[in-house]
Amino acid sequence: MENYLDLKNNIVSKQNNKIFLFLFLMSCGVVSTCLAQYKISSPNGRISAEILLKGNIYYSVSFKDELVLEASPLSITIDGLVLGKNPRLLKVDSSSVDEKKYPVWGSRKEITDRYNRLALQFDGGFSIEFRAFDQGLAYRFNTNMKKKEVIVNDEEVAYRFPFGTTAWIATDQSYETNYQKTSLDVEQITDFNNNLNKIYLPVAIQATDQVKLLITEADLRGYPSLFLDRGNDYENYLLGTFEPYTLSTKRGGFSNYSLIANANASYIAKTSGTRSYPWRLMVISDDDRTFVDCDLVYQLASPQIDGETGWIKPGKVAWDWWHDYAVEGEEFVGGVNSETYLYHIDFAAKYGLEYILIDWLWTDKYDLTLFNPEVDLKHIIDYATSKDVGVILWCPGHTLYNQMDEALDLFASYGAAGVKADFFGREDQTGIQMYEDLAKAAFRRKLLIDFHGCTKPTGLSRTYPNVINYEAVAGNEYNKLSQDKITVDHKVMLPFIRGLQGPMDFTPGGMRNIQTGHNLRFTLPQVHGTRSNEAALFVIYNEPLKMLCDAPSVYEREEDFTKLIASVPTTWDETIVLQASLGKYIVEARRSDDDWFVAGITGSTPHELILNFPFLKAGEYQMTLLKDGPNASRIGTDYLLSESSLSNTGQLSIRMAHGGGFLIHIEPMQN
């Protein structure tokens, strides 16, 4: 392999708005010993990549003429042959795309899908496609081989950075984790063991003093998840790694809900010889607002399957498990029983919530047709239907998969609205295929599906828009399990890293808001930050199926507050990020029909801002404002709720306390 510094010196640093070609330094056609360079730039010219063919395939990336990714190799090994070593180029194809996408639900009604494309076709039945967007760059392998089935031994995914680079990396071997800023220098990472540790995506990189990039993947279908390893040398490399193909399974994971690997193959996938592989995506910007509102994962996903989608209804959910089935002032004991669910249905109907969730223990964990005798499922769903409330049923993911047709047919016949599939616990090729198989089966029966205890979203919600939520986040449930995991800094970090990936099941709405002294308890748990901070999450977080996590009786005691959070839509016609600083604060405006909702949250440092409203049309509006009270820095439950008039030329001064926030509902003035 060539000396890395020689490769780096070979990269020509020029920028242009168009895809163009530097080629044939020796006028030698497609001879493999020839050094060849190709370049692709984003439509606005800020992001560019140079692809170098010299014994191996390398690419480097620049932002505004500044290198943000050093020359990094890419290849895929299929049936023992390294596709990318000594590449023989056959054809170059370039084009530009500028079209509109219309999601079933999301942060906006219309997405502009605009990019430049470069495809390099090689001898050996493979090609590499690059797409350069104004917000980032992606590439993927495509194969067109004669063999119907092939073995993927490995895929080389590499990201090379200079010394001194820092990154925000998941602190645990889980998506349900915090993010910690750390140096990638080997002197700072002395205890990382590639045989034991792996880094979960997304990963955010401080590439230069001003520029950040976020590494992830998109359109993951029938292929194992990408993780990253720390390079085993003194360079700042992050290298792709995958769970091997599973040959046999055994019961394991929490409460033995999952079927985890018992024996593995020496390869990562069995797949079709003709297919497209997942996109390796980098979002790149010197403006932190880019990371909060980015549709690239959706844009790179496979198009929606055929089928009617009018039945797919995002919405809010009254949830039982988080507050531990707390019931007050009623003539029955709260728990996994019919009375508790009828009670939640009445609460949902009163406040216009679209759904209730029947969480775990209502059914046998290995046979979903065996019901808890305390739960009359048919009666509950019939009652909910009479109140225009849908019912979503929790299921162990592996049991649901094993009983897919039988269970889903049964739930659909009862009139259930959807399922929440939990505890998957694996990300090998077969484990990832489970998500698509379940999504497809649920779609055919007009059932929503919420994945919990799961992998990260990579765009499956575009292909199957009934996939309404993913967990893959350390959410409010950890306030029942840990005193210091769901901190205010964690809550404000999520929109910049995990939020970019796609919808997440954080489950906001905790009503016991504290600034210090978190007392761990399983029933009616506490949450860090202010009441206004928790309310603002209903706007800030991307959760098409958004659960109100606390008890109905607790919400009933503060009816005006509850009516406000219940009025917040869960999907949007338009989204604008007004202010953002990664891990510090965020202010966002979202529109649904003619109503605007504006919200902000801050981390451990208070933040003051002047809020203008240029996004409003001329005219007079009614404004409902929820903000931190003057004592919120000490007493998390202190908030002020007021109503006033507002015009598009108005201005508002707001102070967010430590772990604070605000929520504004703006609606046209009624004549």
Side-chain angles (χ1 to χ4, degrees), residues 309-323:
T309 59
W311 58 273
I312 297 173
K313 185 169 70 171
K316 293 173 291 295
V317 185
W319 187 27
D320 52 2
W321 178 84
W322 190 81
H323 54 78

Side-chain angles (χ1 to χ4, degrees), residues 507-546:
T507 68
M511 299 287 279
R512 282 156 302 284
N513 316 96
I514 53 97
Q515 292 286 37
T516 59
H518 187 287
N519 296 311
L520 192 63
R521 59 193 194 189
F522 200 78
T523 302
L524 295 173
Q526 298 174 326
V527 294
H528 289 275
T530 71
R531 176 70 57 78
S532 300
N533 175 285
E534 195 74 6
L537 303 184
F538 283 84
V539 175
I540 297 291
Y541 285 175
N542 176 10
E543 293 180 276
L545 197 66
K546 191 168 269 120

Side-chain angles (χ1 to χ4, degrees), residues 132-301:
F133 303 83
D134 288 344
Q135 292 181 314
L137 178 90
Y139 78 85
R140 70 173 174 188
F141 282 90
N142 299 292
T143 55
N144 185 13
M145 297 179 170
K146 294 180 181 179
K147 294 179 66 175
K148 186 176 180 180
E149 184 178 82
V150 297
I151 296 292
V152 181
N153 306 96
D154 200 6
E155 181 183 349
E156 182 181 28
V157 184
Y159 303 95
R160 292 176 166 179
F161 301 101
F163 291 116
T165 301
T166 55
W168 289 267
I169 294 176
T171 56
D172 299 320
Q173 299 288 287
S174 170
Y175 296 110
E176 300 173 26
T177 186
N178 303 118
Y179 298 96
Q180 179 177 325
K181 190 174 184 180
T182 183
S183 170
L184 295 182
D185 291 352
V186 68
E187 293 85 354
Q188 304 299 319
I189 306 181
T190 57
D191 58 350
F192 190 87
N193 185 335
N194 281 24
N195 294 321
L196 300 175
N197 305 134
K198 57 186 178 183
I199 299 169
Y200 281 61
L201 298 180
V203 170
I205 308 291
Q206 187 74 58
T208 72
D209 289 344
Q210 301 299 322
V211 181
K212 299 181 182 74
L213 63 86
L214 186 143
I215 297 169
T216 190
E217 63 179 337
D219 204 27
L220 175 64
R221 301 177 66 185
Y223 196 74
S225 282
L226 173 66
F227 299 93
L228 296 177
D229 277 345
R230 176 72 175 79
N232 283 319
D233 49 39
Y234 281 85
E235 305 292 343
N236 276 351
Y237 296 170
L238 294 175
L239 307 175
T241 185
F242 304 88
E243 291 187 8
Y245 186 83
T246 298
L247 296 174
S248 65
T249 61
K250 61 182 179 180
R251 285 284 174 191
F254 177 76
S255 193
N256 285 322
Y257 278 123
S258 305
L259 291 170
I260 60 175
N262 184 47
N264 295 321
S266 59
Y267 50 86
I268 65 172
K270 282 183 180 179
T271 191
S272 171
T274 299
R275 65 162 294 173
S276 294
Y277 287 82
W279 290 100
R280 308 310 175 200
L281 169 63
M282 288 186 293
V283 179
I284 309 166
S285 183
D286 57 359
D287 185 343
D288 287 351
R289 292 179 297 176
T290 300
F291 303 97
V292 176
D293 184 27
C294 178
D295 294 311
L296 288 185
V297 171
Y298 176 93
Q299 290 168 240
L300 290 165

Side-chain angles (χ1 to χ4, degrees), residues 12-60:
V12 180
S13 179
K14 296 181 181 179
Q15 299 289 331
N16 195 295
N17 287 351
K18 300 178 180 179
I19 301 174
F20 65 95
L21 176 61
F22 290 104
L23 268 223
F24 308 128
L25 300 182
M26 298 170 60
S27 299
C28 58
V30 295
V31 177
S32 62
T33 56
C34 174
L35 174 64
Q37 289 176 222
Y38 297 80
K39 184 171 180 178
I40 180 172
S41 297
S42 60
N44 65 10
R46 293 183 176 183
I47 296 171
S48 64
E50 293 191 351
I51 300 93
L52 176 66
L53 310 181
K54 187 187 177 187
N56 296 279
I57 302 172
Y58 299 85
Y59 77 112
S60 63

Side-chain angles (χ1 to χ4, degrees), residues 579-621:
Q579 301 179 29
S581 179
L582 189 144
K584 296 179 180 178
Y585 60 84
I586 175 177
V587 180
E588 193 167 26
R590 298 189 191 257
R591 179 179 63 83
S592 177
D593 294 327
D594 294 326
D595 286 17
W596 282 91
F597 291 82
V598 185
I601 57 174
T602 189
S604 54
T605 302
H607 184 66
E608 296 185 15
L609 65 141
I610 301 295
L611 191 59
N612 298 301
F613 302 91
F615 48 86
L616 295 178
K617 296 178 181 178
E620 292 296 314
Y621 295 84

